[in-house]
Amino acid sequence: MFDGDQEGNTLTEPTRMQAELPHPPGVIAEEALPSRLPSPSQPKTHPYTIPKLYQWLLVASVFMAVWLSYVAGYFKTSLRQEYHDIILVLPLYLLMTFASYSLALLGYRVATFNDCKEAAEELQEDVKEARKDLERKGYKYASDWQ
Amino acid sequence: MDQAVGWSFVSLAGFVFTYYTIWVIVLPFVDPDQPIHNFFLPRFYAIAGPLVAGVLALCMIGAFIIYVSVSKKLKKS
């Protein structure tokens, strides 16, 4: 879930749930139109994936509803005393699990970060060369950047 | 150096997770006269500890936010 922006996190365009229309007889085919003009006969669909945050909130609220109804005694159960003790502590336990998972994932990403030192130094050399070249050609710098 | 910090985070998270799991989920099924109970505090602290830590964390976050906003206002004036 920390994989970055692979699923839609924000809604950028309004959803249009129109099916793809076939070509009416008098309409020019889309390939014949210049590419910069919008094609009126085939509007594109914009699939909307629910952001991860809302997915997690949905799961959390469903779980809290079930758990609260159990704790408040809205239905009769015949569980052993140990199971009852564990269910009472479940939200806190799940929170601790989530915290330790995120800490472990953070540490793992830090430890396996692909830091290319040679590429960084090469980039610095390129920057210096470009700067010298431009100064030779008479370019004046408004701000001094490294 | 960064790798050491990263792996230390991973091992700390693993230790915390296994200790807390045994404390909360495994121990209720273990007889009270087994010696493993000597390694764990009474069950009360399995709930009080994280709660107090959470409250402290929230207080520190709030204090940091207040500090940053106040210092920004003083800098502006």
Side-chain angles (χ1 to χ4, degrees):
Chain A
M1 100 193 206
F2 290 92
D3 282 345
D5 298 302
Q6 285 166 3
E7 294 184 358
N9 286 326
T10 53
L11 182 56
T12 54
E13 287 175 310
T15 55
R16 272 181 276 157
M17 306 301 285
Q18 283 177 305
E20 305 235 326
L21 304 173
H23 286 296
V27 174
I28 306 168
E30 189 178 303
E31 305 83 67
L33 289 172
S35 54
R36 68 178 183 276
L37 290 181
S39 61
S41 60
Q42 287 186 342
K44 294 194 178 69
T45 58
H46 299 272
Y48 174 58
T49 57
I50 301 177
K52 275 253 160 63
L53 174 66
Y54 297 156
Q55 286 177 7
W56 276 96
L57 280 179
L58 182 69
V59 169
S61 23
V62 165
F63 170 76
M64 281 310 287
V66 172
W67 182 79
L68 278 176
S69 62
Y70 174 81
V71 166
Y74 280 112
F75 49 85
K76 230 189 308 182
T77 52
S78 52
L79 286 178
R80 285 167 61 186
Q81 177 62 25
E82 295 96 348
Y83 288 125
H84 179 81
D85 285 337
I86 291 175
I87 289 179
L88 283 184
V89 195
L90 256 190
L92 194 61
Y93 173 74
L94 292 176
L95 190 68
M96 289 285 289
T97 307
F98 172 72
S100 62
Y101 167 72
S102 39
L103 186 67
L105 192 65
L106 211 142
Y108 177 70
R109 291 275 163 85
V110 164
T112 58
F113 186 72
N114 196 12
D115 187 27
C116 339
K117 281 211 166 60
E118 320 86 37
E121 284 169 6
E122 209 178 302
L123 196 63
Q124 294 282 354
E125 290 296 326
D126 283 344
V127 163
K128 279 194 208 138
E129 271 184 41
R131 194 197 175 108
K132 258 186 276 178
D133 192 36
L134 285 172
E135 274 181 333
R136 201 166 6 105
K137 294 189 178 147
Y139 190 87
K140 297 251 187 283
Y141 280 96
S143 66
D144 206 26
W145 51 274
Q146 307 281 356
Chain B
M1 184 55 208
D2 282 343
Q3 289 201 347
V5 170
W7 290 121
S8 70
F9 276 5
V10 172
S11 51
L12 176 69
F15 173 74
V16 163
F17 173 69
T18 45
Y19 187 84
Y20 200 70
T21 301
I22 295 176
W23 202 1
V24 168
I25 295 190
V26 173
L27 278 191
F29 295 100
V30 168
D31 287 329
D33 52 347
Q34 296 282 346
I36 197 161
H37 284 267
N38 300 332
F39 292 101
F40 297 91
L41 292 167
R43 202 177 161 77
F44 166 78
Y45 294 102
I47 301 163
L51 272 182
V52 167
V55 167
L56 275 177
L58 284 176
C59 284
M60 290 205 293
I61 291 173
F64 176 72
I65 291 175
I66 290 173
Y67 168 73
V68 162
S69 51
V70 165
S71 68
K72 208 170 190 177
K73 256 204 185 119
L74 285 179
K75 229 189 258 182
K76 245 187 187 170
S77 68

